[in-house]
């Protein structure tokens, strides 16, 4: 079943990609979706990132200080945030908040024949519904990751300077971060974010479009959209990490 | 075709259904359906619930593909590419199927905006006229969720009107409506046909509506067309199953 879903989702993505030239015409809907993604998630993304960065410093700081390698804490938090934690955690957050909303909205439209109505008006539902959402999430998620990386670094710094068990100063933390984190590392995280965004957008829209039945069908689609997105995010995270490490 | 249809300047398109068979979840729903709808006529497909009439309508508009057989619009298969660009078709769904996130005016103007057919000012004018034609002036900024069932149905007719269709399909246009509103919608179907010469295919189990508006009608029972003819011809039929459907009444006393 999951293979069929993945196959159909890939076909849906190809169909949406084919409609790419229509992006400019759909800019109003893209802006609307982008607003939805940013507005709904920015505060939560920042809060999440602050605590992830903080807990990362809290878990590793005292151990590294004990072993005399506290000068690497900034770099360690920096690399973990930008290469791994920010893209994956933001993707999971967006799958839960935005992916579920996409599946629910499109699923309801399917259940209440609104998508059939679009077809009878010769309006392609992929262009009208999927393309704007896919473009918006592909732009929005990497932007959220940038915020999350910056806030996560700050969270790590706050814990380092406020915890007496971690023997590093604020400038030491920043110097370590600057020395170890390269532009390529941030780009690495952004590449992951783009791939995860495409996965969430495609899987969620596909689940919405294949909704069967009424409210129960919509509920099923939402659950499948979130669960399938998270599974694919984690699997692809491993694959992408392997690929990007070899570059 | 009867005189009323012939009097209009016909811009409607003809519909031909040939040998249409469809099964859903292994259950046969339509069996060898053959049907011809003349350009510019009001054709009613009548039958009890579950007889396959809505499935037939979805085939005619191209929302479903037949297992075997074909649907031709002005001689072209409904599944052939570009047929919707050459022939304007619209459908009024049983529930209205308005886009819930858009206002009435946005719903009504959706087709023109998406196909970039007219300047914005002209679209607004056309939408205002279409909403006025179905008695919804002043409701432009309301969302579908704020309207009654009858208003949603009339808004769906307005949305169809804006498309200037050559073929207009109605799925149970009077269901869930009070008798007064049902009469208004029925009159609107006939008025549209007279005004625009549009071919109208109406699916309904409402006998009063069917005999009131049809130029010709078909009775469908268990996925099979049992008869096709003018209302008077259908009324005179002696087929026991058709008679059972047409004469069914409820009397408590």
């Amino acid at each position: 079943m999951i293979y069929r879903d993945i196959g159909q989702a890939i076909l849906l993505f190809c169909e949406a990609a084919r409609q790419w030239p229509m992006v400019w015409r759909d800019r109003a809907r893209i802006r609307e979706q982008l607003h939805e993604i940013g507005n709904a998630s920015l505060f939560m993304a920042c809060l999440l990132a602050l605590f992830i960065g903080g807990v990362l410093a809290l878990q590793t700081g005292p151990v590294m200080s004990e072993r005399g390698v506290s000068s690497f804490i900034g770099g360690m938090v920096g690399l973990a945030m930008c290469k791994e934690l920010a893209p994956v955690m933001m993707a999971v957050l967006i799958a839960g908040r935005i992916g579920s909303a996409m599946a629910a909205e499109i699923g309801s439209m399917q259940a209440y024949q609104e998508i059939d109505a679009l077809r009878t008006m010769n309006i392609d539902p992929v262009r009208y519904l999927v393309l704007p959402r896919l473009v918006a999430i592909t732009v929005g998620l990497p932007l959220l990751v940038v915020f999350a990386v910056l806030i996560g670094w700050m969270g790590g710094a706050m814990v380092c300077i406020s915890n007496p068990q971690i023997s590093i100063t604020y400038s030491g933390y920043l110097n370590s971060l600057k020395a170890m984190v390269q532009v390529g590392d941030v780009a690495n995280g952004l590449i992951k974010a783009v791939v995860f965004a495409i996965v969430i957008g495609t899987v969620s829209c596909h689940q919405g479009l294949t909704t069967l039945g009424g409210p129960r069908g919509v509920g099923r689609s939402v659950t499948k959209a979130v669960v399938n997105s998270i599974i694919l995010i984690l699997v692809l995270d491993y694959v992408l990490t392997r690929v990007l490490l070899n570059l | 075709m009867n005189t009323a249809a012939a009097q209009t300047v016909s811009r409607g398109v003809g519909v031909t259904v040939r040998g249409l068979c469809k099964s859903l979840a292994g259950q046969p729903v339509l069996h060898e359906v053959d049907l011809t709808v003349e350009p510019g006529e009001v054709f009613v497909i009548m039958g009890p619930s579950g007889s396959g009439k809505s499935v037939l309508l979805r085939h005619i508009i191209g929302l479903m593909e037949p297992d075997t057989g074909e649907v031709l619009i002005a001689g072209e298969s409904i599944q052939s590419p570009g047929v919707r660009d050459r022939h304007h078709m619209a459908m009024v769904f049983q529930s209205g199927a308005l886009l819930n996130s858009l206002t009435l005016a946005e719903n009504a103007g959706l087709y023109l905006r998406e196909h970039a057919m007219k300047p914005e000012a002209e679209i607004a004018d056309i939408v205002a006229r279409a909403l006025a034609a179905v008695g919804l002036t002043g409701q432009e900024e309301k969302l579908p969720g704020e309207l009654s069932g009858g208003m949603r149905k009339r808004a769906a007719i307005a949305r169809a009107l804006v498309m200037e269709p050559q073929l207009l399909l109605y799925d149970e246009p009077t269901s869930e409506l009070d008798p007064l509103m049902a009469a208004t919608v029925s009159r609107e179907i006939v008025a549209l046909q007279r005004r625009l010469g549009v071919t109208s295919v109406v699916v309904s189990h409402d006998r009063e509506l069917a005999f009131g508006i049809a130029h010709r009608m078909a009775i469908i029972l268990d996925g099979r067309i049992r008869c096709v003819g003018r209302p008077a011809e259908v009324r005179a039929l002696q087929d026991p199953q058709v008679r059972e459907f047409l004469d069914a009444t409820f009397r408590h006393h």
Side-chain angles (χ1 to χ4, degrees), chain A residues 25 114 116 121-122 127, chain B residues 58 85 100 111 114-115:
Chain A
R25 253 193 67 188
E114 292 176 35
D116 284 344
M121 287 187 275
N122 207 11
R127 205 215 85 221
Chain B
R58 291 171 71 81
D85 298 323
N100 277 312
Y111 175 79
E114 285 306 309
H115 295 284

Side-chain angles (χ1 to χ4, degrees), chain A residues 120-201:
Chain A
T120 62
M121 287 187 275
N122 207 11
I123 298 170
D124 185 348
V126 174
R127 205 215 85 221
Y128 186 80
L129 298 171
V130 179
L131 184 66
R133 284 167 173 78
L134 209 48
V135 172
I137 199 170
T138 308
V139 173
L141 183 54
L143 284 176
L144 280 181
V145 168
V146 170
F147 276 100
V149 167
L150 294 173
I151 301 282
W153 288 347
M154 277 167 55
M158 281 161 68
V159 168
C160 285
I161 56 173
S162 62
N163 193 319
Q165 288 177 292
I166 305 172
S167 52
I168 189 168
T169 60
Y170 179 65
S171 58
Y173 177 90
L174 275 189
N175 288 337
S176 153
L177 201 151
K178 277 186 214 162
M180 287 175 69
V181 179
Q182 308 297 314
V183 175
D185 297 320
V186 179
N188 190 313
L190 293 181
I191 291 169
K192 283 185 177 181
V194 168
V195 175
F196 296 158
I198 291 171
V199 166
I200 297 166

Side-chain angles (χ1 to χ4, degrees), chain B residues 205-227:
Chain B
H205 54 237
D206 180 342
R207 288 169 295 188
E208 212 171 317
L209 166 86
F211 285 102
I213 66 170
H215 295 137
R216 287 192 309 137
M217 59 197 297
I219 304 278
I220 184 168
L221 298 173
D222 296 325
R224 289 187 170 84
I225 298 286
R226 294 299 291 249
C227 63

Side-chain angles (χ1 to χ4, degrees), chain A residues 91-131:
Chain A
V92 170
L93 174 73
I94 290 297
R97 277 194 73 105
I98 304 299
S100 59
M102 283 181 185
E105 192 179 355
I106 298 178
S108 301
M109 291 181 77
Q110 179 70 27
Y112 295 109
Q113 294 184 311
E114 292 176 35
I115 291 176
D116 284 344
L118 286 176
R119 290 198 174 101
T120 62
M121 287 187 275
N122 207 11
I123 298 170
D124 185 348
V126 174
R127 205 215 85 221
Y128 186 80
L129 298 171
V130 179
L131 184 66

Side-chain angles (χ1 to χ4, degrees), chain B residues 158-186:
Chain B
R159 181 173 68 183
L161 274 182
V162 165
M163 294 170 66
E164 298 182 348
Q166 294 165 287
L167 173 63
L168 188 44
L169 310 182
Y170 300 86
D171 191 5
E172 302 283 6
T174 56
S175 66
E176 304 164 27
L177 297 184
D178 62 74
L180 208 61
M181 191 52 67
T184 308
V185 169
S186 310

